[in-house]
Amino acid sequence: MPLTLQRPDLLLSSHYIDGHWCEAVGGSRYDIEDPAREQAFASVPDADARDAQAAVDAAHAALPAWRALPARDRSRILARWNTLLLEHRQDLGRLISREQGKPLAEAVGEVLYAASYVEWFAAEAVRAYGEVIPAPVDGRRMTAVREPVGVVAAITPWNFPAAMIARKIAPALAAGCTLVAKPAEDTPLTALALVALAEEAGVPAGVLNLVTASRANAAAVVDVWLRDMRVRKLTFTGSTPVGQHLARESATTLKKLSLELGGNAPFLVFEDADLDAAADGLMAAKFRNAGQTCVCPNRILVHEAVHDAFVERLVARVSALRVGPASDPQAQLGPLINRRAVEKVERHVRDAVAKGARIMAGGSPLPALGANFFQPTVLVDVDGRMELSCEETFGPVAAVSRFADEAQAVAEANATPYGLAAYFYTRDVRRIARLSAALEAGMIGINEGAISSEAAPFGGIKASGYGREGSRHGLDEYMHSKYLCQGELGPGQD
Ligand code: SIN
């Protein structure tokens, strides 16, 4: 099926280095597949180390002029980029749907989410204040200014092809940094379109460079950036093992790091919760992007007194979900990204059932729709021995277990190396205070399933990484502080 865009030029087939849309130096290309049909519908350059090097050279050369540009001017460019993203939301949504699989309405929603970060950091660009420090001795003036860290390398995942890269590029540009970026190999087209719109908004040549690379070449590209001392910051969203590798390998050049890594979010429903609100919150959190988000509830823990009533509500909602390709306007859940993703979900369900879990809804692939579709699924009698309790399933499986009291719920919720998001539903204000302190996660939804916002600090603790995206803290990740101590000012001067 042809991909029809109002602006056909937003379907790009080159990558972008130093203001040029170009082929990879080696001339290789690789295909991009539609996960719904598993058919190639586009191709992009397959970069190697030489392209990665050219991108850093360009970003390094562009840095002095970009960081010297008044913050007001950088802010205006970002504001124009935001306007263009909003103007072309339908086309960008179509690109996301085609390469990533999510339904069009959800994909357009992702564009709005991406744009919200650009709008936010357009405003933050002009608020990178320093500080005046009361001098402890006479005759000195002590201040601290904030400076851009320099060239940033951004490596982004496939699950949100627009939002994840926007929330790295926007603060970096706002801070006065230049970038080299590599989108996920499965979903580079949205990122390329975003860059084309950034160019149209006035981002100068060399400031933002984006190279596309296949799974086979990704490491060669990233290795160049890891080794290059001129790259002063690495920002990555993806799995914990890859994040650990990047942290290790960037140690020799001591880069500043932001790592938004895997999660294993608990979702607790207490006996005093509003069960309909909890079921609605779980649907929003769990089935967004067919369960392929780092903040998805992975373990649903329900108090034994309300377990059956909650599961009944959940099963009714899950059974009513419509699965289909993005071309189906009624579809609420698309395909998973590829066969490996489906195999993992199948393995988790098989393992859970073999260890005593029961399937209350779904449980199987949907080959009639295509090899990457899986039924939205509810499992009960899940326990901590099962693979899906220990690892992110990253698919449309709601895995439910019971607890007897609050202490058990908190202990089980925290019994994971991960600490990205956690959720709980209760109407007891004291319990809200206790759990807000006790749960080990960077983000907590309290009677709320949709927690993501450009205005809030997004990020984890423990094996879910470090660094925050969005909010006023998002800009700090791309800046360092420089202390200025001026002496010889004479008595009474500071
Ligand atoms: C993620 O899955 O990594 C990001 C989800 C979000 O921003 O809400």
Side-chain angles (χ1 to χ4, degrees):
M1 183 182 282
L3 177 63
T4 313
L5 302 180
Q6 283 152 11
R7 282 254 324 246
D9 61 318
L10 288 179
L11 176 59
L12 288 139
S13 56
S14 318
H15 63 187
Y16 187 71
I17 299 175
D18 203 13
H20 302 292
W21 292 96
C22 49
E23 288 300 318
V25 175
S28 307
R29 302 183 64 76
Y30 73 98
D31 287 339
I32 307 304
E33 277 190 3
D34 166 355
R37 294 175 195 80
E38 295 192 292
Q39 279 168 9
F41 68 98
S43 71
V44 292
D46 194 0
D48 63 22
R50 291 166 292 179
D51 304 281
Q53 193 63 58
V56 184
D57 292 345
H60 180 66
L63 182 62
W66 181 250
R67 60 177 285 170
L69 202 66
R72 172 71 61 198
D73 294 349
R74 293 200 300 270
S75 168
R76 286 197 178 114
I77 291 173
L78 284 168
R80 278 200 293 276
W81 191 29
N82 173 48
T83 304
L84 289 168
L85 295 178
L86 295 177
E87 200 176 312
H88 299 294
R89 67 181 81 167
Q90 289 296 332
D91 278 352
L92 295 170
R94 285 191 190 101
L95 283 167
I96 294 173
S97 285
R98 184 56 70 91
E99 65 177 349
Q100 195 270 334
K102 66 184 61 155
L104 184 60
E106 192 175 353
V108 172
E110 185 191 330
V111 178
L112 302 186
Y113 182 44
S116 73
Y117 283 97
V118 179
E119 183 184 24
W120 179 268
F121 286 109
E124 286 295 293
V126 291
R127 305 214 169 92
Y129 302 115
E131 47 187 311
V132 177
I133 302 155
V137 290
D138 213 11
R140 277 196 190 172
R141 179 163 300 150
M142 295 165 62
T143 52
V145 294
R146 284 160 81 206
E147 292 188 331
V149 288
V151 176
V152 173
I155 303 167
T156 57
W158 51 263
N159 59 346
F160 291 90
M164 296 302 100
I165 199 157
R167 79 179 181 197
K168 296 181 188 313
I169 294 175
L173 294 184
C177 298
T178 58
L179 290 107
V180 292
K182 189 196 80 58
E185 39 286 344
D186 295 310
T187 57
L189 299 172
T190 308
L192 289 168
L194 254 58
V195 169
L197 294 173
E199 183 187 38
E200 216 166 296
V203 173
V207 168
L208 172 57
N209 305 276
L210 188 114
V211 299
T212 52
S214 66
R215 200 161 270 112
N217 274 2
V221 167
V222 173
D223 281 352
V224 169
W225 298 345
L226 285 168
R227 282 195 304 266
D228 198 315
M229 190 65 189
R230 295 171 301 169
V231 176
R232 297 311 314 137
K233 156 99 192 178
L234 179 74
T235 172
F236 168 71
T237 299
S239 74
T240 295
V242 175
Q244 287 165 329
H245 166 80
L246 296 173
R248 264 192 309 273
E249 296 304 312
S250 62
T252 45
T253 51
L254 286 174
K255 297 185 200 314
K256 188 168 168 130
L257 291 179
S258 300
L259 301 173
E260 199 259 275
L261 307 177
N264 185 358
F267 186 102
L268 313 181
V269 182
F270 285 90
E271 64 276 25
D272 58 357
D274 175 336
L275 295 187
D276 285 308
D280 289 341
L282 179 59
M283 294 302 291
K286 175 74 241 183
F287 292 98
R288 175 176 172 225
N289 200 19
Q292 302 171 108
T293 82
C294 301
V295 287
C296 265
N298 204 48
R299 297 168 296 143
I300 299 143
L301 311 172
V302 185
H303 190 276
E304 57 194 11
V306 294
H307 176 274
D308 293 354
F310 179 75
V311 169
E312 191 186 319
R313 286 166 168 78
L314 179 60
V315 168
R317 285 163 172 78
V318 170
S319 306
L321 284 174
R322 183 177 169 101
V323 184
S327 55
D328 170 359
Q330 310 300 322
Q332 293 162 292
L333 241 66
L336 301 187
I337 188 69
N338 54 35
R339 289 194 185 207
R340 281 193 312 283
V342 178
E343 279 157 21
K344 182 176 188 191
V345 172
E346 278 190 283
R347 176 166 56 78
H348 275 190
V349 171
R350 228 182 6 254
D351 169 75
V353 170
K355 290 174 180 157
R358 287 181 296 129
I359 297 174
M360 305 298 286
S364 309
L366 283 163
L369 287 174
N372 293 335
F373 288 89
F374 199 91
Q375 287 177 315
T377 297
V378 179
L379 296 176
V380 294
D381 298 340
V382 168
D383 68 41
R385 297 166 306 138
M386 299 171 186
E387 285 179 33
L388 49 55
S389 299
C390 310
E391 265 186 72
E392 266 182 314
T393 302
F394 234 62
V397 179
V400 184
S401 57
R402 308 166 189 258
F403 63 84
D405 58 34
E406 187 181 310
Q408 183 195 355
V410 170
E412 287 185 10
N414 288 341
T416 169
Y418 299 98
L420 189 58
Y423 306 81
F424 62 93
Y425 276 72
T426 179
R427 284 188 273 214
D428 178 338
V429 289
R430 292 202 170 125
R431 191 183 343 250
I432 289 175
R434 283 194 301 274
L435 265 83
S436 300
L439 289 175
E440 296 168 359
M443 296 173 281
I444 301 196
I446 305 163
N447 297 325
E448 180 57 65
I451 56 173
S452 303
S453 162
E454 78 287 359
F458 190 105
I461 59 172
K462 297 162 65 180
S464 295
Y466 39 76
R468 293 294 178 265
E469 299 194 299
S471 80
R472 68 189 173 85
H473 303 289
L475 198 64
D476 285 340
E477 300 285 332
Y478 297 89
M479 306 197 87
H480 57 226
S481 160
K482 183 184 271 179
Y483 159 50
L484 308 173
C485 179
Q486 185 179 357
E488 296 293 332
L489 290 175
Q493 299 294 314
D494 63 14

